[in-house]
Amino acid sequence: METTVFVVEDELIHQEAIKIALEELDFTLAGLCDNADEAFDCIKKANPGIVLVDIALPGINNGISLAQRIHDELHIPHIFTTSFTQDEVIKKAAETSPSGYLTKPVDTNNLKAAIALSLNKPKDNQNDSHAEDSSFFTRIGDKLIRVNLDDVLLVRSDGGNYISVVTAEKEVSCRCTLKQFRKDLPANFVQTHRAYLINLNHLDSFNEKEQTAFLKGKDAPVARRYRRDFLDRLKKW
């Protein structure tokens, strides 16, 4: 099977070196981008088998924040290619669950090994994480209450370390952050606001004027930052 690789790198000398290495290794270049702000949409469109990401990139975002989105939303393995070797940077990079970390200039043999290991690594697939059990328990007083994910309409951050999980019949509080809860959700959940996740399976309508999603009598705001991805996801449903 053909291995396609997308490269996010802003330095021309390293771009060319990686392109030559990929050609020598018979990997196909799926695309190339030189800044983190534009890279996500390009990667999403190209749908490569793996992404090589530099950490220091121009733009509002950087390689680490880009890699986090690639991991969380696209579920495509990524390898960092960077000149950074500081412990603090490596620690932050590790939080994105990379498949590898290569220092520049990238050695061809090391690149080959990193890609091979990445492609053989079991995928962190959100759909699979709930294939057998699509429910969870949360504590209310002295009781553990089961909540079925299929019934969840939306999830709202209540600030701090608490969220509210809302179904058509009830609303329960959980002690965790929205980011933590989102990590293991299936693909039909999408973030529409920094404080809201919604279940697309229950979406009834979207009011473009009010920028509001409606789900079985409940509603959630759709912020500008998340609107494009939200609308793109609607086209698949």
Side-chain angles (χ1 to χ4, degrees):
M1 181 180 294
E2 181 184 50
T3 299
T4 58
V5 183
F6 194 102
V7 178
V8 187
E9 169 62 61
D10 66 313
E11 296 183 69
L12 183 59
I13 186 171
H14 292 303
Q15 284 184 9
E16 292 302 317
I18 292 173
K19 286 166 63 177
I20 291 172
L22 291 174
E23 185 175 352
E24 290 179 356
L25 296 170
D26 290 326
F27 294 136
T28 300
L29 182 67
L32 180 66
C33 190
D34 62 5
N35 73 83
D37 295 339
E38 298 176 7
F40 183 82
D41 289 337
C42 296
I43 294 168
K44 185 176 181 179
K45 183 177 180 180
N47 191 29
I50 194 166
V51 181
L52 303 183
V53 187
D54 183 23
I55 288 179
L57 295 167
I60 298 175
N61 298 296
N62 58 33
I64 292 178
S65 59
L66 170 63
Q68 190 67 64
R69 289 194 69 192
I70 293 171
H71 176 267
D72 292 346
E73 300 177 36
L74 302 181
H75 316 301
I76 298 173
H78 64 279
I79 295 172
F80 284 114
T81 58
T82 181
S83 301
F84 286 105
T85 56
Q86 296 93 328
D87 290 343
E88 183 180 351
V89 175
I90 294 175
K91 182 179 179 181
K92 290 182 178 179
E95 292 175 357
T96 69
S97 300
S99 296
Y101 191 104
L102 300 173
T103 56
K104 295 189 292 187
V106 175
D107 177 80
T108 301
N109 290 328
N110 289 341
L111 178 61
K112 179 180 179 180
I115 292 177
L117 289 172
S118 174
L119 296 177
N120 288 323
K121 182 180 178 181
K123 292 186 178 180
D124 181 16
N125 191 302
Q126 290 182 331
N127 289 320
D128 290 343
S129 66
H130 289 282
E132 296 181 359
D133 186 4
S134 60
S135 65
F136 65 95
F137 285 89
T138 186
R139 181 179 295 280
I140 299 180
D142 295 328
K143 295 182 179 180
L144 289 173
I145 305 297
R146 180 190 292 273
V147 179
N148 291 315
L149 279 176
D150 292 340
D151 297 332
V152 174
L153 303 179
L154 61 90
V155 184
R156 181 185 67 246
S157 172
D158 291 334
N161 294 319
Y162 286 90
I163 60 172
S164 288
V165 179
V166 182
T167 70
E169 292 79 26
K170 59 187 175 183
E171 182 171 324
V172 298
S173 180
C174 300
R175 185 180 174 85
C176 71
T177 65
L178 195 69
K179 183 178 180 180
Q180 290 170 334
F181 188 81
R182 179 186 177 184
K183 185 177 180 181
D184 294 320
L185 288 176
N188 50 291
F189 282 84
V190 62
Q191 189 156 5
T192 61
H193 183 276
R194 63 183 179 83
Y196 281 83
L197 296 169
I198 69 169
N199 185 346
L200 291 177
N201 288 343
H202 294 296
L203 180 65
D204 292 322
S205 64
F206 171 58
N207 188 310
E208 292 187 302
K209 183 178 180 180
E210 298 177 4
Q211 294 298 294
T212 302
F214 295 91
L215 312 93
K216 309 297 186 237
K218 309 293 182 180
D219 60 82
V222 179
R224 180 180 298 179
R225 175 184 174 185
Y226 301 95
R227 184 172 183 271
R228 183 172 181 179
D229 183 54
F230 168 69
L231 293 176
D232 286 345
R233 296 283 297 276
L234 289 186
K235 296 175 183 178
K236 301 179 181 179
W237 295 82

